[in-house]
């Protein structure tokens, strides 16, 4: 498969972009032993700053493919129709911005994103914030009392679409990736959102209709655009997986839990309460 991916890269990219992708493919196939955090049943999962999460929506077929092959852009792997994403030739990841307990992170993204204007006319300032689960009334009542707030609107967070949450049972599985190692940090440099990568290099990673907006957004990220995303060129190896987050349906399905554990015996499984339901290999 490596040679197939290299062939695609050489036919798609050039100059710095090609160098980045070829280096990423080479790093991807370097086998490394990744230290994983250990948890016992009932413990609360804590996410370190820089931890990645990646949700899936296509069921256990996609889960098994990722475990066996890694997180690889569908443009390279041809596992789905091309041309559907604004950001191409990369794999989207949720990038944890600060040390936080998983339960608190889930509460945050299970809420909504609110955007409001301060002031009126050309001098008005737009502000976006992530509002935690069950905090809608508290936040909107406060905004309605603010004399400088003239209009506000809200949307569900992007995470609700892709990660198990407290408000949707559609996504049922997400991977938690450990990025603490020097090996992982090498891989993470090839992030489409990395502002040290020049504009010209990013051309083949963005839909042409989205390119101008993205070039501006990556220096002005906020809660609605979002400021919590990474997009890793080519992909990341499955060795980085340290845990699996499951939704309410899968949590209650013993066969499903056993299948997940059989595929990732050295990883923990946790629920949307942020608690471990199956510990690492020594506790299972």
């Amino acid at each position: 498969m490596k040679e197939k991916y290299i062939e695609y890269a050489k036919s798609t990219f050039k100059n710095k972009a090609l160098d980045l992708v070829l280096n990423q493919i080479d790093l991807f196939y370097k086998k490394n032993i990744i230290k994983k955090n250990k948890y016992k049943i009932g413990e609360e999962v804590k996410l370190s700053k820089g931890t990645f999460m990646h949700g899936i929506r296509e069921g256990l077929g996609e889960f098994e493919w990722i475990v066996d092959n890694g997180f690889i852009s569908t443009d390279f792997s041809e596992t789905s129709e091309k041309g559907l994403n604004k950001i191409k030739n990369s794999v989207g990841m949720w990038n944890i911005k600060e040390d936080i307990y998983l339960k608190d992170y889930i509460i945050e993204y299970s809420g909504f994103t609110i955007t409001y204007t301060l002031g009126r006319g050309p001098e008005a300032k737009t502000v976006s914030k992530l509002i935690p689960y069950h905090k809608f009334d508290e936040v909107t009542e406060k905004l309605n009392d603010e004399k400088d707030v003239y209009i506000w609107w809200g949307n569900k967070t992007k995470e609700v679409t892709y990660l198990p949450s407290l408000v949707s049972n559609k996504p049922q599985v997400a991977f938690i990736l450990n990025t603490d190692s020097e090996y992982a940090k090498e891989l993470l440099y090839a992030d489409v959102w990395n502002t040290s990568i020049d504009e010209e290099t990013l051309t083949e990673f963005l839909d042409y209709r989205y390119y101008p907006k993205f070039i501006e957004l990556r220096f002005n990220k906020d809660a609605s655009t979002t400021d919590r995303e990474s997009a890793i060129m080519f992909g990341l190896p499955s060795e980085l997986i340290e845990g699996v987050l499951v939704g309410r349906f899968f949590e209650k399905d013993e066969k499903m839990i056993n299948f997940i554990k059989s595929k990732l015996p050295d990883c923990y499984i946790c629920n949307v309460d942020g608690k471990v339901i199956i510990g690492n290999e020594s506790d299972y």
Side-chain angles (χ1 to χ4, degrees):
M1 295 297 286
K2 181 179 180 180
E3 292 305 317
K4 174 187 173 183
Y5 299 143
I6 290 174
E7 181 180 348
Y8 173 84
K10 289 181 176 179
S11 66
T12 304
F13 307 99
K14 59 184 179 180
N15 302 326
K16 291 181 182 178
L18 177 59
D19 292 339
L20 272 172
V21 172
L22 291 179
N23 183 65
Q24 192 75 355
I25 294 172
D26 187 53
L27 284 171
F28 182 98
Y29 283 99
K30 283 185 178 179
K31 296 300 179 183
N32 280 263
I33 298 175
I34 306 298
K35 184 179 179 181
K36 303 178 191 294
N37 290 313
K38 299 292 184 180
Y39 289 99
K40 295 179 180 179
I41 294 174
E43 289 185 325
E44 293 188 346
V45 175
K46 186 174 183 180
L47 305 175
S48 301
K49 179 180 178 180
T51 299
F52 276 1
M53 292 185 68
H54 179 88
I56 60 173
R57 296 192 294 170
E58 302 301 325
L60 290 183
E62 185 180 1
F63 173 88
E64 194 167 14
W65 196 94
I66 288 173
V67 172
D68 294 341
N69 298 280
F71 303 87
I72 299 175
S73 165
T74 57
D75 296 296
F76 282 83
S77 65
E78 299 180 349
T79 53
S80 67
E81 187 179 350
K82 293 184 180 182
L84 297 178
N85 298 316
K86 293 179 179 178
I87 302 179
K88 306 183 295 181
N89 297 306
S90 59
V91 176
M93 294 281 166
W94 298 104
N95 191 336
I96 306 304
K97 295 170 60 179
E98 60 186 3
D99 292 354
I100 189 172
Y101 280 101
L102 176 60
K103 67 175 182 180
D104 295 325
Y105 177 55
I106 292 173
I107 288 172
E108 279 192 3
Y109 73 66
S110 294
F112 72 108
T113 304
I114 193 168
T115 304
Y116 57 91
T117 59
L118 291 172
R120 304 178 73 174
E123 302 300 320
K125 180 182 178 182
T126 301
V127 179
S128 292
K129 291 183 178 181
L130 195 63
I131 306 303
Y133 183 58
H134 278 175
K135 292 292 184 178
F136 177 87
D137 290 347
E138 178 182 327
V139 172
T140 54
E141 285 173 10
K142 183 177 179 181
L143 285 178
N144 288 334
D145 289 334
E146 293 285 342
K147 64 178 182 179
D148 291 333
V149 176
Y150 286 89
I151 187 172
W152 61 260
W153 60 97
N155 292 292
K156 74 173 183 179
T157 65
K158 290 185 180 180
E159 286 93 332
V160 168
T161 302
Y162 297 101
L163 302 177
S165 71
L166 300 173
V167 292
S168 174
N169 286 317
K170 292 179 180 178
Q172 284 292 304
V173 176
F175 297 96
I176 299 172
L177 286 71
N178 189 312
T179 63
D180 285 342
S181 66
E182 290 303 315
Y183 169 64
K185 288 177 172 54
E186 280 190 86
L187 286 160
L188 270 49
Y189 175 82
D191 186 347
V192 179
W193 288 96
N194 184 349
T195 55
S196 68
I197 298 175
D198 63 88
E199 295 179 12
E200 184 179 354
T201 301
L202 296 177
T203 303
E204 290 301 330
F205 296 98
L206 299 164
D207 183 286
Y208 72 94
R209 292 161 294 189
Y210 182 56
Y211 181 84
K213 183 177 181 180
F214 179 88
I215 294 303
E216 178 184 350
L217 282 178
R218 68 188 187 127
F219 289 100
N220 299 283
K221 295 186 289 185
D222 61 26
S224 64
T225 56
T226 69
D227 55 3
R228 308 178 297 282
E229 293 181 62
S230 284
I232 306 303
M233 299 172 183
F234 176 66
L236 295 171
S238 58
E239 284 83 1
L240 298 181
I241 300 170
E242 77 161 34
V244 176
L245 169 65
V246 296
R248 294 296 190 205
F249 290 162
F250 277 18
E251 179 184 2
K252 298 173 183 177
D253 191 327
E254 185 176 353
K255 288 184 178 179
M256 200 68 69
I257 295 299
N258 288 337
F259 173 78
I260 292 171
K261 190 61 180 178
S262 71
K263 297 295 295 184
L264 294 167
D266 60 343
C267 296
Y268 57 85
I269 304 173
C270 51
N271 62 16
V272 291
D273 298 316
K275 289 189 176 182
V276 174
I277 57 174
I278 298 291
N280 294 44
E281 188 172 19
S282 59
D283 302 314
Y284 185 63

